[in-house]
Amino acid sequence: MNRSRSKSFSLDRLVKVGILASISYLLMFVQMPIPIAPPFMKIDLADVPALIGGFAMGSWYGVLIQLIKNVLNLSKTMTGGVGELSNFVVGSTFVLVSSLIYQNKKTRKNSILALVLGIFAMSAIATLSNAFVVFPIYGKVMNMDLQAFAEMIPGNGLVSNYFTLMLFSIAPFNLIKGAIEAIITQLIYKRISPILKF
């Protein structure tokens, strides 16, 4: 009897993970460019379902949602999988840090703290991984010099070279994206969480 209940329990969660991952994948196509970032970097809300899943079911469920979303997006990749790998690492950092902190104490105040710390962790990982891994690999794939990335955003007067690109474009882009997703998660989580909890 207990084994049967455990199986249905796990299956129920996997179904919910699948639904949230599908919503997350679809949200990747609703994008908004911002002038401080290169044109191929756009703000979307695809981390929100993973954050909600991580908060409601546990951090590793949130990471699983991120993984499924990016595997689905491989069929439409224009970066040879580099963008998807970066998205997975950065998004999983956001979800993992936020949900681990929230799971420790499930209060509104702690959820805000969790999301704020998640934003900073995500932004740090995003900046470092983009600077030393993603942009260099993408540059080689596209046969682009790293300085060319800085020249893609003439509207951002603070960016003049690769270093300032990371400091004044990539870092603030991720802070802004994370803040928007955190606010939306905070606004809708309590309404959706009863459906996901057991």
Side-chain angles (χ1 to χ4, degrees):
M1 180 69 176
N2 288 338
R3 186 177 296 177
S4 175
R5 288 180 64 185
S6 177
K7 285 182 179 178
S8 64
F9 179 85
S10 300
L11 179 61
D12 195 28
R13 287 203 166 189
L14 288 176
V15 168
K16 290 170 182 177
V17 164
I19 292 170
L20 288 170
S22 299
I23 295 170
S24 184
Y25 171 67
L26 292 174
L27 286 173
M28 292 181 82
F29 297 98
V30 183
Q31 302 175 331
M32 180 183 70
I34 59 174
I36 67 165
F40 56 84
M41 294 182 69
K42 298 179 176 69
I43 288 178
D44 61 50
L45 302 176
D47 292 329
V48 172
L51 285 166
I52 290 171
F55 274 27
M57 297 183 288
S59 55
W60 292 109
Y61 285 99
V63 172
L64 182 58
I65 291 166
Q66 291 283 15
L67 177 63
I68 295 170
K69 171 192 76 174
N70 282 288
V71 168
L72 289 172
N73 201 55
L74 281 173
S75 63
K76 299 184 178 297
T77 186
M78 296 177 66
T79 65
V82 176
E84 285 70 29
L85 178 60
S86 175
N87 188 284
F88 172 69
V89 171
V90 172
S92 293
T93 300
F94 190 13
V95 171
L96 195 60
V97 171
S98 298
S99 56
L100 280 173
I101 294 170
Y102 177 71
Q103 291 291 325
N104 189 49
K105 187 178 181 183
K106 297 183 178 181
T107 64
R108 181 176 177 82
K109 184 178 180 180
N110 198 50
S111 70
I112 294 171
L113 174 64
L115 288 166
V116 168
L117 293 177
I119 291 167
F120 283 112
M122 174 194 71
S123 299
I125 292 295
T127 304
L128 292 172
S129 64
N130 276 309
F132 298 109
V133 180
V134 178
F135 275 56
I137 292 175
Y138 189 65
K140 286 183 179 179
V141 171
M142 302 302 291
N143 196 26
M144 289 175 59
D145 183 80
L146 293 179
Q147 178 61 26
F149 289 110
E151 295 168 359
M152 287 182 171
I153 44 174
N156 188 342
L158 296 174
V159 174
S160 58
N161 54 45
Y162 190 64
F163 175 76
T164 54
L165 171 71
M166 294 299 147
L167 191 61
F168 297 119
S169 175
I170 306 305
F173 168 85
N174 284 284
L175 288 171
I176 292 168
K177 181 178 185 293
I180 292 170
E181 291 182 314
I183 290 168
I184 292 173
T185 299
Q186 191 70 28
L187 288 173
I188 67 175
Y189 174 68
K190 286 299 181 184
R191 299 176 185 179
I192 296 174
S193 61
I195 302 171
L196 300 173
K197 288 178 180 177
F198 299 89

